[in-house]
Amino acid sequence: MSAFDGVKVAVLLFVAAIAQVSIFGQLHVFGAVPDILLVTLVAISLLRGSVAGAVGGFFAGLIVDTASLGTLGLTSLVLTLSGFWIGRYGETTGRDRAHAPYLSIAVVTVLYELGLLVVHFVLGESAPAGAVVRSLLPAVVLNLIVTGPVYGLVRRLLRAMERQELSAEVQLLG
Amino acid sequence: MATRGRSARAAVLASSVQRSKPTPYPSKVRSAFLRRMVLVVLVLGALTLLTISFRSPTAGALHDLQGAGSSALRPFQIAATRVAQPFRDAYDYLDSLANAKTENSKLRKEIAYFRSTQLLKSEKAREYDSLVRLMHYEQGATFPNGYSAVNARVISDSAGPFAQTLTIAAGSSSGIRENAPVVSGDGLIGRVSNVFSDTAVVSLLSDPNSPVPALDLHTGVRGVVHPGPGGALIFDDVKKQYKVDAADVLVTLGTIDPRYPDLYPSGIPIGKTSAPTVTDTASFLQVQVQPFGNLGSLDSVAVLVKTSKHK
């Protein structure tokens, strides 16, 4: 991943994190909120791999925890693991499959919510398991709804660099 | 070149053209060791931040750093909020429209509930006023000696063209006897005409079978109060030579001769007279009476029960 690619990823995640904290975090639908940051991170992880996913998840979580004045490192930890895991899935089996973003979002939304619940529980903070479980299905549906446009946007922004890398490699081999 | 029977695509596939290798994924070129190291470092970093933040949530360098970071991010958050405000307003508007029907139904139910509660409270307040007036009468100077009051709720009202009675929720078990006088807080209502164990029937003043001997407090004229031909109460049996003024107060006459005891003790307010009319053909004055007690709308009454032999 080039430096310019990294800058684009960083800007994408920064905008998504700010939007999540300021806008989407307050948009409650059936007890759940659409997680635009998680969807963006999953898209980046699928397109740029596990290391980009893990690093992006770490710093995006740091922005969220800083902006919301929450416990530092909490969101970072869960997003780092989510980004890495989805990145590995993209590198191995899901890279060229059309359903990969949707499958990844459905699974990672559940794991992300449960992961946050577990970390809160371990820290001795309020961990309302019933409310979290009840909001899982609406959260998955909401995230799946925004997956299409967000993944399309991220793919469009990152694809140009992918083609450049591709043509350079062909020239090198030729 | 493709042979007969084989498609051009198959020929291309069968040719020995050297294809380029599949595009290596950027992450793939890194070693698994490096990838794992990055993950371990990031997870350890997150756990370190988590530990420090958890152990000193309100003080320390990390707390100050977080505050500074939050301040730095604040303009971006404000900008994002302002950008999203029109969309949020539109969403709120559509959401309120979508919920309007449900909310309308809910509000209608609430209005019905509060209306019934309000009616109940009004009814209670009216009953309270009635009971207060009754209590004042029972504790007042005009309450007859030798009697005690049995308070009872009116449970049905049969006042109408065919019956001038009402039923009260007290009977012989409360000491009520037949022909006992019945009063409200304003004055005489009638008398008990039928007694059961826990209920009793009261014949109102407007019942033709319940005439009441009365006395004009202003002029001292005696007569009888009973319903006239049109149903209105009249002060009857007053000879023409006696004087009765408008708005004179009538009270029960009471017993004059102990050999002929009256049903009603003396001094119970009955009503006010209207201007008397005199005709050449009639032997008596024609005086209408406006009763003090509202015979058509009673919530509670008191039955006067003898406690000792009175005058």
Side-chain angles (χ1 to χ4, degrees), chain B residues 38-95:
Chain B
V38 168
L39 178 66
V40 168
V41 167
L42 290 176
V43 168
L44 284 177
L47 286 174
T48 307
L49 286 174
L50 196 57
T51 307
I52 296 172
S53 182
F54 184 69
R55 287 174 72 91
S56 57
T58 55
L62 193 63
H63 177 263
D64 296 340
L65 200 63
Q66 188 181 16
S70 175
S71 301
L73 290 173
R74 191 69 62 203
F76 296 103
Q77 289 182 265
I78 292 170
T81 307
R82 284 184 181 167
V83 167
Q85 193 60 45
F87 300 101
R88 187 178 296 171
D89 290 345
Y91 172 80
D92 289 343
Y93 177 72
L94 292 174
D95 186 55

Side-chain angles (χ1 to χ4, degrees), chain A residues 1 14 18 21-23 26-29 45-51 54-55 58 62-63 65-67 69-74 76-77 80-81 84 88 91 95 119 123 165-166 169 173, chain B residues 20-28 30 34-36 38-39 41-43 45-47 49-51 53-54 62-63 65-70 73-74 76-78 80-81 83-84 88 91:
Chain A
M1 192 167 69
F14 180 79
I18 293 295
V21 173
S22 307
I23 305 168
Q26 298 156 15
L27 195 67
H28 290 268
V29 182
S45 302
L46 283 173
L47 292 168
R48 285 297 179 265
S50 58
V51 173
V55 174
F58 180 82
L62 213 54
I63 292 170
D65 289 337
T66 303
L69 293 175
T71 307
L72 271 179
L74 196 150
S76 285
L77 179 64
T80 299
L81 293 172
F84 183 83
R88 285 300 294 156
E91 287 167 353
R95 187 183 178 191
V119 176
L123 291 177
E165 284 179 3
L166 207 79
E169 284 173 9
L173 287 170
Chain B
S20 61
K21 282 183 172 180
T23 307
Y25 203 90
S27 298
K28 263 189 172 179
R30 296 186 177 89
L34 181 63
R35 193 168 53 228
R36 285 171 192 161
V38 168
L39 178 66
V41 167
L42 290 176
V43 168
L47 286 174
L49 286 174
L50 196 57
T51 307
S53 182
F54 184 69
L62 193 63
H63 177 263
L65 200 63
Q66 188 181 16
S70 175
L73 290 173
R74 191 69 62 203
F76 296 103
Q77 289 182 265
I78 292 170
T81 307
V83 167
R88 187 178 296 171
Y91 172 80

Side-chain angles (χ1 to χ4, degrees), chain A residues 30-152:
Chain A
F30 297 114
V33 293
D35 200 331
I36 201 86
L37 175 60
L38 186 66
V39 176
T40 308
L41 179 68
V42 165
I44 289 170
S45 302
L46 283 173
L47 292 168
R48 285 297 179 265
S50 58
V51 173
V55 174
F58 180 82
F59 286 105
L62 213 54
I63 292 170
V64 169
D65 289 337
T66 303
S68 62
L69 293 175
T71 307
L72 271 179
L74 196 150
T75 313
S76 285
L77 179 64
V78 185
L79 283 183
T80 299
L81 293 172
S82 303
F84 183 83
W85 189 67
I86 293 300
R88 285 300 294 156
Y89 170 66
E91 287 167 353
T92 53
T93 54
R95 187 183 178 191
D96 296 323
R97 296 182 180 177
H99 66 266
Y102 300 97
L103 181 65
S104 304
I105 285 296
V107 174
V108 88
T109 299
V110 175
L111 294 179
Y112 175 74
E113 297 287 343
L114 294 179
L116 281 179
L117 181 71
V118 168
V119 176
H120 277 290
F121 178 74
V122 169
L123 291 177
E125 296 176 354
S126 170
V132 170
V133 170
R134 275 194 298 276
S135 69
L136 273 182
L137 186 62
V140 169
V141 172
L142 288 174
N143 286 351
L144 284 175
I145 289 171
V146 297
T147 295
V150 170
Y151 186 77

Side-chain angles (χ1 to χ4, degrees), chain B residues 32 89 95 114 119 170 196 214 235 237 261 286 297:
Chain B
D89 290 345
D95 186 55
F114 285 124
L119 286 173
F196 300 90
F235 186 38
D237 292 347
Q286 294 180 349
S297 175

Side-chain angles (χ1 to χ4, degrees), chain A residues 2-3 9 52 56 98 100 104-105 107 115-116 126 128-129 131 139 149 154 156 160 171-172:
Chain A
S2 68
V9 168
S104 304
I105 285 296
V107 174
L116 281 179
S126 170
V154 174
R156 169 171 279 195
Q171 281 176 358
L172 195 68

Side-chain angles (χ1 to χ4, degrees), chain B residues 174-231:
Chain B
S174 304
I176 293 174
R177 298 288 176 264
E178 199 172 334
N179 291 323
V182 181
V183 297
S184 71
D186 300 315
L188 187 69
I189 295 298
R191 63 178 178 84
V192 174
S193 57
N194 203 350
V195 183
F196 300 90
S197 174
D198 296 314
T199 55
V201 177
V202 176
S203 292
L204 299 172
L205 285 177
S206 50
D207 188 300
N209 299 319
S210 301
V212 182
L215 172 72
D216 185 333
L217 275 184
H218 183 63
T219 60
V221 172
R222 298 174 186 175
V224 177
V225 173
H226 64 84

